[in-house]
Amino acid sequence: MKRLLIIAVLLCLNACTAESKKASNTVVDIVKPKPYVLLISLDGFRWDYVDKYKPEFLSEFAKKSAHLTSLRPAFPTKTFPNHLSIITGSYPENHGIVANRFYAPDLKKSYNIKESNAVTNADFYLRKPLWVIAEEQDMRTASYFWPGSEAAITGIYPSHYKTYNHNATHHERIEGILNWYKLPSSERPQLITTYFHDIDSAGHHFGQDSAELIAAINKVDDTIREMVSKVRLLDFEVNIVIVSDHGMVDYPAKNYEYLPTWLNDEYKVVATNPIVLIYDEGKSKRTLAETVAELNQQANHYQCYQYQDIPTKFNASKTNRIGDITCLTDKDWSIGFTGKTSKGNHGWSQFNTKDMDGIFYATGPAFKESFQLATVENVNIMPLLAQILGVDITTPIDGKLEIMKPLLK
Ligand code: AMP
Ligand code: ZN
Ligand code: ZN
């Protein structure tokens, strides 16, 4: 049967007229199915949660998947920088979303994930997400939430996207995605992204050993089971890629160091515990070097840098969107002005610990089964997904296909 189809395609390709081309494409579709990728982000799912809490479905999914020991986030290990790193294949210093809240001196505007004006303003986003490149190449894409998906980056949105609604039920997300998959082949998105906040929220509020975190993991586990089961019933195969943006760790509330109040008087300060971004507005009589020296002299558990001097391993020294001065905190410590902390957090260095690491589990026609690779950086995911989708990367990225390619069949 397959041989007959191939002969039919070859004959048709020879003799096709414009009118019959559509029919021949359908035959080609049967011979070589279109690739599909469903990218699911479980915010704050630490690399070891499957081993530690043994959620029923995800444990099985992980075991059978092509996976990484852990997924290393970019710096700072926060939600928006890392979702953009995953989908643009670039470090925050290059894709421009350097924190969940920051000031962009180049635009003279502030970014804040809670402000619709900011997240929908394409000017903040300096590299193209995979959905933009795919749409440019005439491939349909959709997003049931993903940082950046509500902005027309270089003028292009995903074909379908939703305004972020923290309270959208899991059921709504599953149904929305399945409805997109039920569209006719020509309109059906080949790349869909989606996102669940629950595990991150429980990790922040209730901590590692809480019943609430376990309940959130089990709730998400049930949702993923339902979504994956329904997607597997479709009459085309989908590569399902489950990732997280960073890990999570409990830390003591007493580990809090106050910043001096003069800092707030002399500079614009964005304190996004545990990193602090300090912008020069010409008000201080001190030079930036003097301010750095003054802060570091009194610091016990943090270290400040002029942004160009941030250690190169962080890939964070290219743009003063991260502050003219940036203060990084020792792991398990907080800094700021309020003394307010949470039970768990992330945002610290991703080096010398695995606590900030996330997950990467993938199944589907493109992936090997039950195959493990060592820890890699999340900027390498985008070229892997582009390869599966057959999208040419036409824009600069930092990730490399070779690094995760061994996961592919
Ligand atoms: P973080 O402070 O890094 O833990 O950020 C996590 C929070 O980011 C979640 O609780 C969500 O409320 C928020 N978030 C995630 N995705 C989006 C989005 N697409 N738009 C707005 N907020 C989002
Ligand atoms: Zn997050
Ligand atoms: Zn978080």
Side-chain angles (χ1 to χ4, degrees):
M1 178 64 189
K2 204 166 174 186
R3 197 190 267 170
L4 276 178
L5 277 172
I6 292 167
I7 293 167
V9 172
L10 288 175
L11 285 175
C12 189
L13 282 179
N14 257 341
C16 265
T17 59
E19 298 81 61
S20 61
K21 203 155 184 200
K22 211 167 170 193
S24 83
N25 279 348
T26 318
V27 180
V28 174
D29 277 358
I30 298 168
V31 176
K32 193 172 183 298
K34 277 189 193 174
Y36 291 91
V37 171
L38 171 58
L39 176 62
I40 305 171
S41 166
L42 311 183
D43 197 329
F45 197 108
R46 203 169 77 177
W47 72 281
D48 60 350
Y49 278 177
V50 155
D51 278 346
K52 194 167 174 200
Y53 299 113
K54 302 192 170 31
E56 219 174 81
F57 182 77
L58 283 167
S59 299
E60 199 55 27
F61 187 94
K63 203 164 79 188
K64 292 194 182 143
S65 69
H67 53 271
L68 302 176
T69 312
S70 67
L71 181 65
R72 177 114 329 143
F75 190 80
T77 54
K78 290 281 190 178
T79 297
F80 266 56
N82 277 286
H83 279 84
L84 269 300
S85 285
I86 291 168
I87 207 67
T88 64
S90 300
Y91 295 115
E93 66 178 357
N94 289 323
H95 66 57
I97 306 301
V98 298
N100 286 344
R101 280 191 296 132
F102 62 91
Y103 176 71
D106 52 315
L107 304 173
K108 299 194 171 47
K109 283 195 173 128
S110 293
Y111 188 91
N112 184 338
I113 66 170
K114 298 209 166 98
E115 283 164 15
S116 163
N117 276 348
V119 297
T120 58
N121 181 347
D123 294 345
F124 284 107
Y125 304 87
L126 305 179
R127 286 216 170 150
K128 291 177 184 175
L130 181 55
W131 62 70
V132 169
I133 306 172
E135 293 281 347
E136 284 173 343
Q137 293 172 29
D138 213 21
M139 180 179 284
R140 300 287 70 83
T141 67
S143 176
Y144 211 116
F145 306 150
W146 197 274
S149 59
E150 295 170 56
I153 300 172
T154 66
I156 298 175
Y157 292 103
S159 290
H160 312 269
Y161 68 94
K162 302 273 178 187
T163 301
Y164 185 69
N165 171 9
H166 199 73
N167 300 318
T169 64
H170 289 195
H171 180 75
E172 284 172 298
R173 298 173 207 219
I174 295 172
E175 288 309 303
I177 288 166
L178 284 165
N179 284 337
W180 287 332
Y181 277 141
K182 286 175 190 154
L183 288 169
S185 166
S186 59
E187 291 167 42
R188 189 186 298 150
Q190 285 179 251
L191 169 68
I192 298 183
T193 63
T194 191
Y195 166 88
F196 296 90
H197 72 85
D198 313 64
I199 295 166
D200 177 75
S201 300
H204 281 296
H205 294 130
F206 304 106
Q208 289 298 297
D209 298 312
S210 63
E212 289 88 348
L213 176 64
I214 295 169
I217 291 172
N218 288 331
K219 179 178 171 193
V220 169
D221 192 60
D222 285 343
T223 301
I224 302 302
R225 179 205 311 275
E226 186 184 340
M227 177 145 41
V228 170
S229 318
K230 289 184 169 168
V231 167
R232 285 189 180 146
L233 290 176
L234 297 167
D235 58 8
F236 50 91
E237 285 190 288
V238 178
N239 293 291
I240 299 171
V241 180
I242 302 179
V243 297
S244 63
D245 50 350
H246 51 70
M248 178 72 68
V249 72
D250 286 4
Y251 64 108
K254 64 173 175 37
N255 285 2
Y256 196 101
E257 212 171 329
Y258 284 90
L259 289 165
T261 48
W262 58 259
L263 198 60
N264 243 338
D265 301 333
E266 297 179 23
Y267 293 93
K268 178 187 200 63
V269 183
V270 179
T272 78
N273 190 26
I275 72 162
V276 172
L277 320 178
I278 300 162
Y279 301 88
D280 186 4
E281 293 186 304
K283 278 193 284 181
S284 179
K285 291 200 176 66
R286 302 167 221 253
T287 63
L288 288 170
E290 284 165 354
T291 301
V292 167
E294 178 82 26
L295 289 168
N296 286 341
Q297 210 224 331
Q298 65 153 64
N300 290 311
H301 297 284
Y302 63 91
Q303 175 91 33
C304 304
Y305 304 91
Q306 287 193 54
Y307 76 92
Q308 306 92 323
D309 302 329
I310 296 174
T312 47
K313 66 178 179 181
F314 291 116
N315 294 296
S317 55
K318 255 196 204 164
T319 164
N320 64 345
R321 285 190 179 191
I322 200 146
D324 293 298
I325 297 170
T326 313
C327 301
L328 315 186
T329 311
D330 293 351
K331 181 148 173 295
D332 301 344
W333 278 80
S334 302
I335 45 172
F337 302 102
T338 63
K340 250 175 68 186
T341 61
S342 51
K343 195 96 178 44
N345 207 2
H346 50 91
W348 292 286
S349 163
Q350 68 272 44
F351 302 109
N352 306 319
T353 174
K354 278 178 89 178
D355 287 346
M356 295 300 106
D357 281 4
I359 53 164
F360 179 98
Y361 309 136
T363 64
F367 289 99
K368 289 179 184 159
E369 278 172 37
S370 303
F371 183 85
Q372 182 166 327
L373 267 189
T375 301
V376 308
E377 291 180 291
N378 65 10
V379 291
N380 299 301
I381 294 175
M382 184 272 212
L384 184 81
L385 303 186
Q387 167 81 9
I388 295 170
L389 290 168
V391 168
D392 292 330
I393 298 174
T394 50
T395 189
I397 65 167
D398 301 319
K400 294 198 171 50
L401 174 61
E402 302 86 81
I403 294 177
M404 292 180 78
K405 205 174 177 187
L407 296 174
L408 298 181
K409 273 185 191 155

